[in-house]
């Protein structure tokens, strides 16, 4: 599974991108479960966020994409963002 996270906005306005391929990873099942949880449980009518807040786009396997904003990320959203942006290419 390919998981891509893009974060834009914020005070500096600098976009960050990260991508993980779960193939062959020892934590693949957990990452895939987390990504599918975020996709399934992110409302399609997400709030617009706050001025200078971050906007996130998560894409799973090129065919499932969700968007959400700061503040108020769920625990799953925050965990996925931290994992992908912290480890991603």
């Amino acid at each position: 599974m390919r998981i891509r996270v893009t974060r834009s906005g914020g005070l500096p306005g600098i976009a960050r991108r990260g991508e993980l391929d779960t193939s062959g990873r020892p934590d693949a099942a957990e990452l895939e479960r987390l990504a599918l949880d975020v996709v399934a449980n992110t409302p399609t009518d997400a709030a617009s966020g706050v001025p200078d807040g971050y906007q996130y786009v998560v894409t799973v396997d090129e065919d499932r994409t969700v968007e959400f904003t700061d503040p108020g990320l769920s625990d799953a959203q925050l965990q996925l963002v931290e994992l992908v942006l912290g480890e991603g290419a």
Side-chain angles (χ1 to χ4, degrees):
M1 174 181 286
R2 285 193 152 309
I3 306 165
R4 183 180 329 121
V5 174
T6 302
R7 183 188 77 190
S8 60
L11 192 56
I14 299 170
R16 284 196 61 209
R17 292 175 181 81
E19 187 169 317
L20 290 177
D21 185 345
T22 62
S23 301
R25 291 179 60 113
D27 59 349
E30 178 62 20
L31 281 169
E32 291 169 5
R33 183 206 56 76
L34 184 61
L36 293 175
D37 179 47
V38 167
V39 168
N41 293 305
T42 297
T44 57
D45 60 349
S48 61
V50 297
D52 295 325
Y54 289 116
Q55 295 87 40
Y56 299 92
V57 178
V58 173
T59 303
V60 176
D61 284 340
E62 300 297 330
D63 62 349
R64 292 170 277 188
T65 299
V66 294
E67 299 180 25
F68 46 92
T69 59
D70 276 338
L73 272 62
S74 70
D75 290 341
Q77 289 169 335
L78 181 59
Q79 187 178 2
L80 185 66
V81 165
E82 288 176 345
L83 284 168
V84 176
L85 292 182
E87 293 184 21

